Structure formats: C-alpha cells, structure tokens
C-alpha cells in the first residue's frame, strides 16, 4: 500500500475528504498537488504535509471554470514531470425542496463535481496512459439511494458513477484504472455544520447530536475523512491493482440497496 515515487493530483483538497486523501497519499510516499479555490486553506494543508516530511504543491482555482482542469494538470506535470494518480473530491450541491431549486442550482451542482471530473479526466488521461495510472472519484451514496431533498446531489452522483464506469471501460484499453468511492455521512466541515445546527436547535451536546445523526442514518458510526482516505490509498496502490470500474460504498452500513 505504499505510493513511493508516485505523483498525484487531489481536487477539493483544501479541507474534508480531499485534504485527508492528500495527506494519506503523501504519508504513503506520493508527491501531491492539491487544488481548491482557497489558497489560504491549501497552504495550511500543504504546510502540514511538508511538516510531516512530504512534498506538496498547491494550485488555487475554480474547477467550475472550463479551463481550470487543464491548468491543474499542467501545473502537476510541470512540477513532477509525470502524473500517476488523479483523485477527484471537489463537490458541493444545493440541498432542499425540489420546488425551491432553479435550473441554475442544478447547473451549478453539475458544473463542479460532474464536469470537474469530466474535464480533469480529459486533461489527465494522456499522462495517466503513459504511467498506467489511476483515477479515483469520490462520489457519494446518494448515487444509489434517492432522497427528496437531495435531487441535485443524487443526480450528479449517479451521473458521475456512470461516467466512472464508462472511463473504466475505456481504461481497460488504455491501461488506466478508474474507480470510485461512495462515502456515507463523514464528519467534514460541511457535516459538522449540521451537527452544530442540531446542538443549537435541540439544546443537546455534541455527543448527543452525533448519536442522533447516527440513529437517523442507521449507521455503525459517522465516518471520519481518514476512513475514506485509507480506502483511497488502497484503491490506487498496487494492492488494489485489480480494482477496475469498482464503486465501493464506505458508509457504515447506510446503503441497504444492492
Ligand atoms: N462529507 C460527507 O458526508 C459526504 C458524503 C457523501 C459524499 N461526499 C462527497 O465527497 C466529496 C468531498 O466532500 P467533503 O465533505 O470533503 O466536502 P467539503 O468539506 O465541503 O470540501 C469540498 C472541497 O471542494 C472544494 N471546492 C468547492 N467548490 C469548489 C470550486 N468551485 N472549485 C474548486 N474546488 C472547490 C472546497 O474548497 P474551496 O472552498 O477552497 O474551493 C473543498 O476543498 C464531495 O463531492 C461530497 O459530495 C461527502
């Protein structure tokens, strides 16, 4: 499960799951280029990686802009001379009642997570063909299980899962491995806001709010970003070499569908 000598890009790496994946890749020996919009947050993650003896470069940019993906890949190849791994974790979609959501909200949801993946894949693919590299998309259990207030996120996740499988099929021919992880609820800054909301609304402490969320989700426990990062290392390592087009739920039992 070592990644020594590998070069990786991680999107959505200024916080949450993406940051944990970048830290885990660096700990496993890879050099990483981390990208998101906030330079300040990227610098904080990169400093942590460097302090632990790893190599990290940053690229601040908005992945909703069509040209950004190619710039990110160029920056990584310029810095490292090659690219072995692309982990795409950038994503944010609007949650809420369908009749409050506009076309623009749907387009915005697709712009980052889905088209971000499409454009990153297009730009990275020739480099990954050269190194027999890997793509790992961080998607979400909403791809498999629908929810009335998650119409955008669920649609984006299902579309990206289909795209993952399509590129895995192409990857058989081109020597590129393409897989996905579907996280369930993971305690990242976004989910922490929901915990704090429950604490405030119900006047309960953090432990009680977490227990309530676990009960609502019917999970063993809420995930930590590091849980997803551990699987993300395995998926792109030699140990995970037979994974191709695999879409793995890591959700504490949340998904009961086949
Ligand atoms: N946490 C969960 O419970 C959970 C469950 C299922 C699926 N997921 C999926 O897992 C992925 C990561 O989730 P997370 O909880 O770690 O999210 P998060 O904490 O909200 O982090 C999202 C990341 O995406 C970046 N980002 C947002 N807008 C961007 C843009 N326009 N261009 C470039 N980067 C952008 C953010 O950085 P900046 O703001 O600095 O740009 C941040 O680094 C997402 O796709 C999410 O849908 C999460």
């Amino acid at each position: 499960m070592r990644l020594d000598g590998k070069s990786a890009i991680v999107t959505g790496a200024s916080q949450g799951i993406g940051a944990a994946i970048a830290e885990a890749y660096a700990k496993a020996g890879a050099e990483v280029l981390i990208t998101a919009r906030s330079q300040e947050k990227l610098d904080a993650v990169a400093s942590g990686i460097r302090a632990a003896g790893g190599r990290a470069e940053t690229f601040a940019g908005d992945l909703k802009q069509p040209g950004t993906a190619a710039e990110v890949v160029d920056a990584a190849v310029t810095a490292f001379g090659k690219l072995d791994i692309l982990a795409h974790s950038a994503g944010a979609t609007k949650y809420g009642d369908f009749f409050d959501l506009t076309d623009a909200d749907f387009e915005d949801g697709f712009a980052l997570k889905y088209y971000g993946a499409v454009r990153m894949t297009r730009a990275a693919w020739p480099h990954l063909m050269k190194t027999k590299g890997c793509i790992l998309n961080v998607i979400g259990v909403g791809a498999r299980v629908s929810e009335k207030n998650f119409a955008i996120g669920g649609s984006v996740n299902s579309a990206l899962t289909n795209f993952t499988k399509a590129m895995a099929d192409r990857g058989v021919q081109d020597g590129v491995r393409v897989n996905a992880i579907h996280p369930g609820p993971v305690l990242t800054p976004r989910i922490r806001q929901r915990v704090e909301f429950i604490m405030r609304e119900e006047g309960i402490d953090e432990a009680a709010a977490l227990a309530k969320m676990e009960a609502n989700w019917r999970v063993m426990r809420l995930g930590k970003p590091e849980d997803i990062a551990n699987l993300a290392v395995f998926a792109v390592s030699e140990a995970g070499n037979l994974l191709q087009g695999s879409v793995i739920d890591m959700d504490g039992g949340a998904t009961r569908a086949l």
Side-chain angles (χ1 to χ4, degrees), residues 9-11 21 25 85-89 117 121 128 133-139 160 164 177-182 228-229 231-236 243 246-248:
I9 293 173
V10 185
T11 74
I21 291 175
Y25 283 179
I85 299 162
L86 164 63
H88 175 57
S89 188
T121 298
L128 296 173
C134 296
I135 294 178
L136 180 71
N137 290 319
V138 179
I139 306 182
L160 183 49
T164 299
R177 293 201 297 112
V178 188
N179 296 290
I181 299 175
H182 281 337
I228 308 301
L231 181 55
V233 173
F234 175 76
V236 303
L243 292 174
S246 299
V247 180
I248 307 169

PDB file of all heavy atoms in Angstrom, residues 9-11 21 25 85-89 117 121 128 133-139 160 164 177-182 228-229 231-236 243 246-248:
ATOM      1  N   ILE A   9      -2.636  14.213  -8.150  1.00  0.00           N
ATOM      2  CA  ILE A   9      -3.440  15.434  -8.007  1.00  0.00           C
ATOM      3  C   ILE A   9      -4.627  15.053  -7.136  1.00  0.00           C
ATOM      4  O   ILE A   9      -5.254  14.002  -7.353  1.00  0.00           O
ATOM      5  CB  ILE A   9      -3.985  15.916  -9.371  1.00  0.00           C
ATOM      6  CG1 ILE A   9      -2.866  16.384 -10.280  1.00  0.00           C
ATOM      7  CG2 ILE A   9      -5.023  17.035  -9.171  1.00  0.00           C
ATOM      8  CD1 ILE A   9      -3.325  16.703 -11.710  1.00  0.00           C
ATOM      9  N   VAL A  10      -4.958  15.911  -6.178  1.00  0.00           N
ATOM     10  CA  VAL A  10      -6.188  15.725  -5.396  1.00  0.00           C
ATOM     11  C   VAL A  10      -7.002  17.009  -5.493  1.00  0.00           C
ATOM     12  O   VAL A  10      -6.520  18.083  -5.110  1.00  0.00           O
ATOM     13  CB  VAL A  10      -5.902  15.383  -3.924  1.00  0.00           C
ATOM     14  CG1 VAL A  10      -7.212  15.092  -3.196  1.00  0.00           C
ATOM     15  CG2 VAL A  10      -4.953  14.183  -3.806  1.00  0.00           C
ATOM     16  N   THR A  11      -8.221  16.915  -6.016  1.00  0.00           N
ATOM     17  CA  THR A  11      -9.104  18.087  -6.071  1.00  0.00           C
ATOM     18  C   THR A  11      -9.924  18.155  -4.780  1.00  0.00           C
ATOM     19  O   THR A  11     -10.077  17.159  -4.074  1.00  0.00           O
ATOM     20  CB  THR A  11     -10.062  18.049  -7.279  1.00  0.00           C
ATOM     21  OG1 THR A  11     -11.100  17.089  -7.039  1.00  0.00           O
ATOM     22  CG2 THR A  11      -9.344  17.709  -8.579  1.00  0.00           C
ATOM     23  N   ILE A  21      -7.303  12.723   1.938  1.00  0.00           N
ATOM     24  CA  ILE A  21      -6.720  11.871   0.883  1.00  0.00           C
ATOM     25  C   ILE A  21      -5.316  12.380   0.530  1.00  0.00           C
ATOM     26  O   ILE A  21      -4.366  11.590   0.424  1.00  0.00           O
ATOM     27  CB  ILE A  21      -7.632  11.823  -0.363  1.00  0.00           C
ATOM     28  CG1 ILE A  21      -8.914  11.046  -0.047  1.00  0.00           C
ATOM     29  CG2 ILE A  21      -6.901  11.196  -1.553  1.00  0.00           C
ATOM     30  CD1 ILE A  21      -9.957  11.043  -1.170  1.00  0.00           C
ATOM     31  N   TYR A  25      -2.002  10.178   0.893  1.00  0.00           N
ATOM     32  CA  TYR A  25      -1.131   9.882  -0.266  1.00  0.00           C
ATOM     33  C   TYR A  25       0.304  10.306   0.036  1.00  0.00           C
ATOM     34  O   TYR A  25       1.251   9.578  -0.269  1.00  0.00           O
ATOM     35  CB  TYR A  25      -1.646  10.590  -1.522  1.00  0.00           C
ATOM     36  CG  TYR A  25      -2.852   9.939  -2.177  1.00  0.00           C
ATOM     37  CD1 TYR A  25      -3.444  10.482  -3.308  1.00  0.00           C
ATOM     38  CD2 TYR A  25      -3.405   8.762  -1.670  1.00  0.00           C
ATOM     39  CE1 TYR A  25      -4.544   9.886  -3.919  1.00  0.00           C
ATOM     40  CE2 TYR A  25      -4.503   8.168  -2.270  1.00  0.00           C
ATOM     41  CZ  TYR A  25      -5.070   8.734  -3.390  1.00  0.00           C
ATOM     42  OH  TYR A  25      -6.159   8.146  -3.989  1.00  0.00           O
ATOM     43  N   ILE A  85      -1.687   9.581 -10.483  1.00  0.00           N
ATOM     44  CA  ILE A  85      -2.956   9.437  -9.754  1.00  0.00           C
ATOM     45  C   ILE A  85      -3.746  10.744  -9.839  1.00  0.00           C
ATOM     46  O   ILE A  85      -3.183  11.821  -9.612  1.00  0.00           O
ATOM     47  CB  ILE A  85      -2.689   9.135  -8.254  1.00  0.00           C
ATOM     48  CG1 ILE A  85      -1.906   7.829  -8.082  1.00  0.00           C
ATOM     49  CG2 ILE A  85      -4.004   9.091  -7.464  1.00  0.00           C
ATOM     50  CD1 ILE A  85      -1.236   7.689  -6.706  1.00  0.00           C
ATOM     51  N   LEU A  86      -5.033  10.600 -10.126  1.00  0.00           N
ATOM     52  CA  LEU A  86      -5.956  11.735 -10.008  1.00  0.00           C
ATOM     53  C   LEU A  86      -7.076  11.323  -9.061  1.00  0.00           C
ATOM     54  O   LEU A  86      -7.801  10.362  -9.347  1.00  0.00           O
ATOM     55  CB  LEU A  86      -6.558  12.090 -11.379  1.00  0.00           C
ATOM     56  CG  LEU A  86      -7.798  12.985 -11.348  1.00  0.00           C
ATOM     57  CD1 LEU A  86      -7.483  14.353 -10.751  1.00  0.00           C
ATOM     58  CD2 LEU A  86      -8.364  13.137 -12.767  1.00  0.00           C
ATOM     59  N   ALA A  87      -7.190  12.013  -7.934  1.00  0.00           N
ATOM     60  CA  ALA A  87      -8.312  11.777  -7.016  1.00  0.00           C
ATOM     61  C   ALA A  87      -9.180  13.026  -7.043  1.00  0.00           C
ATOM     62  O   ALA A  87      -8.704  14.136  -6.751  1.00  0.00           O
ATOM     63  CB  ALA A  87      -7.804  11.500  -5.607  1.00  0.00           C
ATOM     64  N   HIS A  88     -10.441  12.845  -7.413  1.00  0.00           N
ATOM     65  CA  HIS A  88     -11.354  13.994  -7.567  1.00  0.00           C
ATOM     66  C   HIS A  88     -12.351  13.987  -6.414  1.00  0.00           C
ATOM     67  O   HIS A  88     -13.224  13.124  -6.342  1.00  0.00           O
ATOM     68  CB  HIS A  88     -12.082  13.873  -8.909  1.00  0.00           C
ATOM     69  CG  HIS A  88     -13.133  14.917  -9.132  1.00  0.00           C
ATOM     70  ND1 HIS A  88     -12.884  16.277  -9.101  1.00  0.00           N
ATOM     71  CD2 HIS A  88     -14.463  14.800  -9.402  1.00  0.00           C
ATOM     72  CE1 HIS A  88     -13.997  16.943  -9.352  1.00  0.00           C
ATOM     73  NE2 HIS A  88     -14.981  16.078  -9.526  1.00  0.00           N
ATOM     74  N   SER A  89     -12.200  14.975  -5.512  1.00  0.00           N
ATOM     75  CA  SER A  89     -13.086  15.022  -4.351  1.00  0.00           C
ATOM     76  C   SER A  89     -13.835  16.351  -4.253  1.00  0.00           C
ATOM     77  O   SER A  89     -14.615  16.538  -3.326  1.00  0.00           O
ATOM     78  CB  SER A  89     -12.266  14.786  -3.066  1.00  0.00           C
ATOM     79  OG  SER A  89     -13.102  14.643  -1.943  1.00  0.00           O
ATOM     80  N   ALA A 117     -15.027  16.495 -12.973  1.00  0.00           N
ATOM     81  CA  ALA A 117     -14.470  15.151 -13.200  1.00  0.00           C
ATOM     82  C   ALA A 117     -14.223  14.907 -14.682  1.00  0.00           C
ATOM     83  O   ALA A 117     -13.172  14.370 -15.072  1.00  0.00           O
ATOM     84  CB  ALA A 117     -15.428  14.099 -12.638  1.00  0.00           C
ATOM     85  N   THR A 121     -10.512  14.444 -16.068  1.00  0.00           N
ATOM     86  CA  THR A 121     -10.221  13.162 -16.719  1.00  0.00           C
ATOM     87  C   THR A 121      -9.648  13.399 -18.114  1.00  0.00           C
ATOM     88  O   THR A 121      -8.640  12.794 -18.503  1.00  0.00           O
ATOM     89  CB  THR A 121     -11.509  12.318 -16.797  1.00  0.00           C
ATOM     90  OG1 THR A 121     -11.961  12.060 -15.465  1.00  0.00           O
ATOM     91  CG2 THR A 121     -11.271  11.004 -17.527  1.00  0.00           C
ATOM     92  N   LEU A 128      -1.866   9.782 -17.706  1.00  0.00           N
ATOM     93  CA  LEU A 128      -2.122   8.534 -16.970  1.00  0.00           C
ATOM     94  C   LEU A 128      -1.890   7.330 -17.881  1.00  0.00           C
ATOM     95  O   LEU A 128      -1.481   6.256 -17.409  1.00  0.00           O
ATOM     96  CB  LEU A 128      -3.543   8.534 -16.407  1.00  0.00           C
ATOM     97  CG  LEU A 128      -3.815   9.630 -15.368  1.00  0.00           C
ATOM     98  CD1 LEU A 128      -5.297   9.676 -14.995  1.00  0.00           C
ATOM     99  CD2 LEU A 128      -2.964   9.420 -14.111  1.00  0.00           C
ATOM    100  N   GLY A 133      -1.620   4.830 -14.920  1.00  0.00           N
ATOM    101  CA  GLY A 133      -2.071   5.417 -13.657  1.00  0.00           C
ATOM    102  C   GLY A 133      -3.517   5.140 -13.309  1.00  0.00           C
ATOM    103  O   GLY A 133      -4.158   4.253 -13.881  1.00  0.00           O
ATOM    104  N   CYS A 134      -4.009   5.941 -12.357  1.00  0.00           N
ATOM    105  CA  CYS A 134      -5.336   5.685 -11.765  1.00  0.00           C
ATOM    106  C   CYS A 134      -6.138   6.970 -11.620  1.00  0.00           C
ATOM    107  O   CYS A 134      -5.577   8.020 -11.316  1.00  0.00           O
ATOM    108  CB  CYS A 134      -5.201   5.203 -10.325  1.00  0.00           C
ATOM    109  SG  CYS A 134      -4.397   3.674 -10.100  1.00  0.00           S
ATOM    110  N   ILE A 135      -7.442   6.813 -11.721  1.00  0.00           N
ATOM    111  CA  ILE A 135      -8.365   7.882 -11.324  1.00  0.00           C
ATOM    112  C   ILE A 135      -9.262   7.329 -10.225  1.00  0.00           C
ATOM    113  O   ILE A 135      -9.731   6.181 -10.315  1.00  0.00           O
ATOM    114  CB  ILE A 135      -9.232   8.351 -12.513  1.00  0.00           C
ATOM    115  CG1 ILE A 135      -8.351   9.012 -13.576  1.00  0.00           C
ATOM    116  CG2 ILE A 135     -10.331   9.310 -12.037  1.00  0.00           C
ATOM    117  CD1 ILE A 135      -9.101   9.479 -14.820  1.00  0.00           C
ATOM    118  N   LEU A 136      -9.471   8.135  -9.206  1.00  0.00           N
ATOM    119  CA  LEU A 136     -10.410   7.759  -8.146  1.00  0.00           C
ATOM    120  C   LEU A 136     -11.383   8.916  -7.937  1.00  0.00           C
ATOM    121  O   LEU A 136     -10.963  10.028  -7.601  1.00  0.00           O
ATOM    122  CB  LEU A 136      -9.656   7.481  -6.840  1.00  0.00           C
ATOM    123  CG  LEU A 136     -10.577   7.089  -5.679  1.00  0.00           C
ATOM    124  CD1 LEU A 136     -11.146   5.697  -5.898  1.00  0.00           C
ATOM    125  CD2 LEU A 136      -9.825   7.144  -4.355  1.00  0.00           C
ATOM    126  N   ASN A 137     -12.653   8.655  -8.163  1.00  0.00           N
ATOM    127  CA  ASN A 137     -13.668   9.690  -7.944  1.00  0.00           C
ATOM    128  C   ASN A 137     -14.346   9.465  -6.593  1.00  0.00           C
ATOM    129  O   ASN A 137     -14.796   8.350  -6.304  1.00  0.00           O
ATOM    130  CB  ASN A 137     -14.710   9.650  -9.065  1.00  0.00           C
ATOM    131  CG  ASN A 137     -14.137  10.122 -10.385  1.00  0.00           C
ATOM    132  OD1 ASN A 137     -13.379  11.093 -10.424  1.00  0.00           O
ATOM    133  ND2 ASN A 137     -14.452   9.443 -11.472  1.00  0.00           N
ATOM    134  N   VAL A 138     -14.413  10.515  -5.794  1.00  0.00           N
ATOM    135  CA  VAL A 138     -15.141  10.460  -4.517  1.00  0.00           C
ATOM    136  C   VAL A 138     -16.550  10.971  -4.821  1.00  0.00           C
ATOM    137  O   VAL A 138     -16.723  12.140  -5.167  1.00  0.00           O
ATOM    138  CB  VAL A 138     -14.446  11.329  -3.452  1.00  0.00           C
ATOM    139  CG1 VAL A 138     -15.234  11.289  -2.146  1.00  0.00           C
ATOM    140  CG2 VAL A 138     -13.015  10.858  -3.237  1.00  0.00           C
ATOM    141  N   ILE A 139     -17.534  10.097  -4.696  1.00  0.00           N
ATOM    142  CA  ILE A 139     -18.868  10.463  -5.205  1.00  0.00           C
ATOM    143  C   ILE A 139     -19.875  10.560  -4.045  1.00  0.00           C
ATOM    144  O   ILE A 139     -20.083  11.634  -3.494  1.00  0.00           O
ATOM    145  CB  ILE A 139     -19.321   9.465  -6.294  1.00  0.00           C
ATOM    146  CG1 ILE A 139     -18.250   9.371  -7.407  1.00  0.00           C
ATOM    147  CG2 ILE A 139     -20.637   9.931  -6.891  1.00  0.00           C
ATOM    148  CD1 ILE A 139     -18.572   8.459  -8.563  1.00  0.00           C
ATOM    149  N   LEU A 160     -22.068  10.824 -12.267  1.00  0.00           N
ATOM    150  CA  LEU A 160     -20.612  10.654 -12.135  1.00  0.00           C
ATOM    151  C   LEU A 160     -20.250   9.175 -11.963  1.00  0.00           C
ATOM    152  O   LEU A 160     -19.197   8.729 -12.426  1.00  0.00           O
ATOM    153  CB  LEU A 160     -20.084  11.501 -10.962  1.00  0.00           C
ATOM    154  CG  LEU A 160     -18.584  11.491 -10.726  1.00  0.00           C
ATOM    155  CD1 LEU A 160     -17.776  11.754 -11.986  1.00  0.00           C
ATOM    156  CD2 LEU A 160     -18.221  12.529  -9.655  1.00  0.00           C
ATOM    157  N   THR A 164     -17.773   7.206 -14.348  1.00  0.00           N
ATOM    158  CA  THR A 164     -16.654   6.414 -13.802  1.00  0.00           C
ATOM    159  C   THR A 164     -16.595   5.046 -14.490  1.00  0.00           C
ATOM    160  O   THR A 164     -15.521   4.585 -14.908  1.00  0.00           O
ATOM    161  CB  THR A 164     -16.841   6.225 -12.274  1.00  0.00           C
ATOM    162  OG1 THR A 164     -16.853   7.516 -11.651  1.00  0.00           O
ATOM    163  CG2 THR A 164     -15.736   5.372 -11.677  1.00  0.00           C
ATOM    164  N   ARG A 177      -6.568   2.753 -14.615  1.00  0.00           N
ATOM    165  CA  ARG A 177      -7.587   2.229 -13.684  1.00  0.00           C
ATOM    166  C   ARG A 177      -8.484   3.360 -13.209  1.00  0.00           C
ATOM    167  O   ARG A 177      -8.001   4.425 -12.837  1.00  0.00           O
ATOM    168  CB  ARG A 177      -6.918   1.552 -12.484  1.00  0.00           C
ATOM    169  CG  ARG A 177      -6.169   0.289 -12.855  1.00  0.00           C
ATOM    170  CD  ARG A 177      -5.944  -0.642 -11.683  1.00  0.00           C
ATOM    171  NE  ARG A 177      -5.130  -0.091 -10.630  1.00  0.00           N
ATOM    172  CZ  ARG A 177      -5.567   0.213  -9.408  1.00  0.00           C
ATOM    173  NH1 ARG A 177      -6.842   0.056  -9.078  1.00  0.00           N
ATOM    174  NH2 ARG A 177      -4.738   0.686  -8.496  1.00  0.00           N
ATOM    175  N   VAL A 178      -9.787   3.116 -13.216  1.00  0.00           N
ATOM    176  CA  VAL A 178     -10.747   4.155 -12.815  1.00  0.00           C
ATOM    177  C   VAL A 178     -11.750   3.543 -11.847  1.00  0.00           C
ATOM    178  O   VAL A 178     -12.421   2.551 -12.179  1.00  0.00           O
ATOM    179  CB  VAL A 178     -11.504   4.734 -14.032  1.00  0.00           C
ATOM    180  CG1 VAL A 178     -12.340   5.949 -13.604  1.00  0.00           C
ATOM    181  CG2 VAL A 178     -10.547   5.123 -15.147  1.00  0.00           C
ATOM    182  N   ASN A 179     -11.840   4.111 -10.660  1.00  0.00           N
ATOM    183  CA  ASN A 179     -12.720   3.563  -9.616  1.00  0.00           C
ATOM    184  C   ASN A 179     -13.382   4.698  -8.852  1.00  0.00           C
ATOM    185  O   ASN A 179     -13.048   5.871  -9.039  1.00  0.00           O
ATOM    186  CB  ASN A 179     -11.894   2.686  -8.654  1.00  0.00           C
ATOM    187  CG  ASN A 179     -11.301   1.473  -9.358  1.00  0.00           C
ATOM    188  OD1 ASN A 179     -12.032   0.566  -9.735  1.00  0.00           O
ATOM    189  ND2 ASN A 179      -9.989   1.481  -9.560  1.00  0.00           N
ATOM    190  N   ALA A 180     -14.306   4.331  -7.983  1.00  0.00           N
ATOM    191  CA  ALA A 180     -14.987   5.363  -7.192  1.00  0.00           C
ATOM    192  C   ALA A 180     -15.265   4.860  -5.788  1.00  0.00           C
ATOM    193  O   ALA A 180     -15.461   3.655  -5.567  1.00  0.00           O
ATOM    194  CB  ALA A 180     -16.303   5.756  -7.857  1.00  0.00           C
ATOM    195  N   ILE A 181     -15.311   5.797  -4.868  1.00  0.00           N
ATOM    196  CA  ILE A 181     -15.768   5.521  -3.504  1.00  0.00           C
ATOM    197  C   ILE A 181     -17.056   6.302  -3.290  1.00  0.00           C
ATOM    198  O   ILE A 181     -17.131   7.495  -3.633  1.00  0.00           O
ATOM    199  CB  ILE A 181     -14.736   5.976  -2.450  1.00  0.00           C
ATOM    200  CG1 ILE A 181     -13.412   5.233  -2.647  1.00  0.00           C
ATOM    201  CG2 ILE A 181     -15.273   5.734  -1.036  1.00  0.00           C
ATOM    202  CD1 ILE A 181     -12.289   5.715  -1.712  1.00  0.00           C
ATOM    203  N   HIS A 182     -18.052   5.640  -2.716  1.00  0.00           N
ATOM    204  CA  HIS A 182     -19.274   6.324  -2.286  1.00  0.00           C
ATOM    205  C   HIS A 182     -19.219   6.476  -0.767  1.00  0.00           C
ATOM    206  O   HIS A 182     -19.563   5.544  -0.032  1.00  0.00           O
ATOM    207  CB  HIS A 182     -20.513   5.489  -2.627  1.00  0.00           C
ATOM    208  CG  HIS A 182     -20.937   5.565  -4.061  1.00  0.00           C
ATOM    209  ND1 HIS A 182     -20.612   6.601  -4.894  1.00  0.00           N
ATOM    210  CD2 HIS A 182     -21.711   4.723  -4.801  1.00  0.00           C
ATOM    211  CE1 HIS A 182     -21.158   6.386  -6.084  1.00  0.00           C
ATOM    212  NE2 HIS A 182     -21.813   5.267  -6.064  1.00  0.00           N
ATOM    213  N   ILE A 228     -12.140   7.383   4.688  1.00  0.00           N
ATOM    214  CA  ILE A 228     -12.231   7.395   3.222  1.00  0.00           C
ATOM    215  C   ILE A 228     -10.818   7.434   2.626  1.00  0.00           C
ATOM    216  O   ILE A 228     -10.529   6.772   1.619  1.00  0.00           O
ATOM    217  CB  ILE A 228     -13.054   8.619   2.736  1.00  0.00           C
ATOM    218  CG1 ILE A 228     -14.415   8.689   3.469  1.00  0.00           C
ATOM    219  CG2 ILE A 228     -13.245   8.571   1.229  1.00  0.00           C
ATOM    220  CD1 ILE A 228     -15.309   7.503   3.319  1.00  0.00           C
ATOM    221  N   ALA A 229      -9.932   8.170   3.289  1.00  0.00           N
ATOM    222  CA  ALA A 229      -8.556   8.294   2.785  1.00  0.00           C
ATOM    223  C   ALA A 229      -7.835   6.941   2.797  1.00  0.00           C
ATOM    224  O   ALA A 229      -7.071   6.633   1.879  1.00  0.00           O
ATOM    225  CB  ALA A 229      -7.781   9.320   3.621  1.00  0.00           C
ATOM    226  N   LEU A 231      -9.116   3.988   2.324  1.00  0.00           N
ATOM    227  CA  LEU A 231      -9.576   3.225   1.158  1.00  0.00           C
ATOM    228  C   LEU A 231      -9.042   3.849  -0.134  1.00  0.00           C
ATOM    229  O   LEU A 231      -8.713   3.144  -1.090  1.00  0.00           O
ATOM    230  CB  LEU A 231     -11.112   3.184   1.142  1.00  0.00           C
ATOM    231  CG  LEU A 231     -11.776   2.410  -0.001  1.00  0.00           C
ATOM    232  CD1 LEU A 231     -11.270   0.979  -0.085  1.00  0.00           C
ATOM    233  CD2 LEU A 231     -13.299   2.420   0.172  1.00  0.00           C
ATOM    234  N   ALA A 232      -8.923   5.181  -0.114  1.00  0.00           N
ATOM    235  CA  ALA A 232      -8.418   5.880  -1.306  1.00  0.00           C
ATOM    236  C   ALA A 232      -6.966   5.483  -1.594  1.00  0.00           C
ATOM    237  O   ALA A 232      -6.565   5.416  -2.759  1.00  0.00           O
ATOM    238  CB  ALA A 232      -8.532   7.395  -1.117  1.00  0.00           C
ATOM    239  N   VAL A 233      -6.178   5.226  -0.547  1.00  0.00           N
ATOM    240  CA  VAL A 233      -4.800   4.768  -0.751  1.00  0.00           C
ATOM    241  C   VAL A 233      -4.833   3.363  -1.348  1.00  0.00           C
ATOM    242  O   VAL A 233      -4.186   3.082  -2.371  1.00  0.00           O
ATOM    243  CB  VAL A 233      -3.996   4.772   0.571  1.00  0.00           C
ATOM    244  CG1 VAL A 233      -2.624   4.122   0.370  1.00  0.00           C
ATOM    245  CG2 VAL A 233      -3.827   6.194   1.092  1.00  0.00           C
ATOM    246  N   PHE A 234      -5.608   2.490  -0.734  1.00  0.00           N
ATOM    247  CA  PHE A 234      -5.680   1.104  -1.232  1.00  0.00           C
ATOM    248  C   PHE A 234      -6.083   1.088  -2.708  1.00  0.00           C
ATOM    249  O   PHE A 234      -5.491   0.372  -3.523  1.00  0.00           O
ATOM    250  CB  PHE A 234      -6.691   0.295  -0.397  1.00  0.00           C
ATOM    251  CG  PHE A 234      -6.900  -1.097  -0.917  1.00  0.00           C
ATOM    252  CD1 PHE A 234      -5.964  -2.093  -0.706  1.00  0.00           C
ATOM    253  CD2 PHE A 234      -8.038  -1.407  -1.666  1.00  0.00           C
ATOM    254  CE1 PHE A 234      -6.150  -3.376  -1.221  1.00  0.00           C
ATOM    255  CE2 PHE A 234      -8.238  -2.677  -2.173  1.00  0.00           C
ATOM    256  CZ  PHE A 234      -7.285  -3.665  -1.951  1.00  0.00           C
ATOM    257  N   ALA A 235      -7.095   1.893  -3.055  1.00  0.00           N
ATOM    258  CA  ALA A 235      -7.667   1.841  -4.412  1.00  0.00           C
ATOM    259  C   ALA A 235      -6.642   2.180  -5.492  1.00  0.00           C
ATOM    260  O   ALA A 235      -6.730   1.663  -6.606  1.00  0.00           O
ATOM    261  CB  ALA A 235      -8.868   2.783  -4.505  1.00  0.00           C
ATOM    262  N   VAL A 236      -5.678   3.050  -5.168  1.00  0.00           N
ATOM    263  CA  VAL A 236      -4.706   3.451  -6.200  1.00  0.00           C
ATOM    264  C   VAL A 236      -3.356   2.744  -6.035  1.00  0.00           C
ATOM    265  O   VAL A 236      -2.441   2.971  -6.819  1.00  0.00           O
ATOM    266  CB  VAL A 236      -4.493   4.992  -6.219  1.00  0.00           C
ATOM    267  CG1 VAL A 236      -5.816   5.712  -6.447  1.00  0.00           C
ATOM    268  CG2 VAL A 236      -3.812   5.483  -4.947  1.00  0.00           C
ATOM    269  N   LEU A 243      -8.773  -3.649  -8.974  1.00  0.00           N
ATOM    270  CA  LEU A 243      -9.986  -2.816  -8.968  1.00  0.00           C
ATOM    271  C   LEU A 243     -10.064  -2.056 -10.284  1.00  0.00           C
ATOM    272  O   LEU A 243      -9.143  -1.312 -10.641  1.00  0.00           O
ATOM    273  CB  LEU A 243      -9.950  -1.813  -7.803  1.00  0.00           C
ATOM    274  CG  LEU A 243     -10.044  -2.364  -6.379  1.00  0.00           C
ATOM    275  CD1 LEU A 243      -9.830  -1.236  -5.370  1.00  0.00           C
ATOM    276  CD2 LEU A 243     -11.404  -3.024  -6.150  1.00  0.00           C
ATOM    277  N   SER A 246     -14.696  -0.298 -10.161  1.00  0.00           N
ATOM    278  CA  SER A 246     -15.308  -0.651  -8.875  1.00  0.00           C
ATOM    279  C   SER A 246     -15.868   0.604  -8.216  1.00  0.00           C
ATOM    280  O   SER A 246     -15.218   1.652  -8.202  1.00  0.00           O
ATOM    281  CB  SER A 246     -14.275  -1.292  -7.943  1.00  0.00           C
ATOM    282  OG  SER A 246     -13.779  -2.473  -8.529  1.00  0.00           O
ATOM    283  N   VAL A 247     -17.049   0.467  -7.660  1.00  0.00           N
ATOM    284  CA  VAL A 247     -17.713   1.584  -6.988  1.00  0.00           C
ATOM    285  C   VAL A 247     -18.004   1.088  -5.573  1.00  0.00           C
ATOM    286  O   VAL A 247     -18.854   0.227  -5.371  1.00  0.00           O
ATOM    287  CB  VAL A 247     -19.006   1.970  -7.716  1.00  0.00           C
ATOM    288  CG1 VAL A 247     -19.688   3.127  -7.011  1.00  0.00           C
ATOM    289  CG2 VAL A 247     -18.717   2.328  -9.172  1.00  0.00           C
ATOM    290  N   ILE A 248     -17.233   1.584  -4.619  1.00  0.00           N
ATOM    291  CA  ILE A 248     -17.227   0.982  -3.285  1.00  0.00           C
ATOM    292  C   ILE A 248     -17.954   1.890  -2.287  1.00  0.00           C
ATOM    293  O   ILE A 248     -17.558   3.046  -2.096  1.00  0.00           O
ATOM    294  CB  ILE A 248     -15.770   0.759  -2.808  1.00  0.00           C
ATOM    295  CG1 ILE A 248     -14.985  -0.026  -3.862  1.00  0.00           C
ATOM    296  CG2 ILE A 248     -15.762   0.016  -1.477  1.00  0.00           C
ATOM    297  CD1 ILE A 248     -13.485  -0.057  -3.615  1.00  0.00           C
TER     298      ILE A 248
END
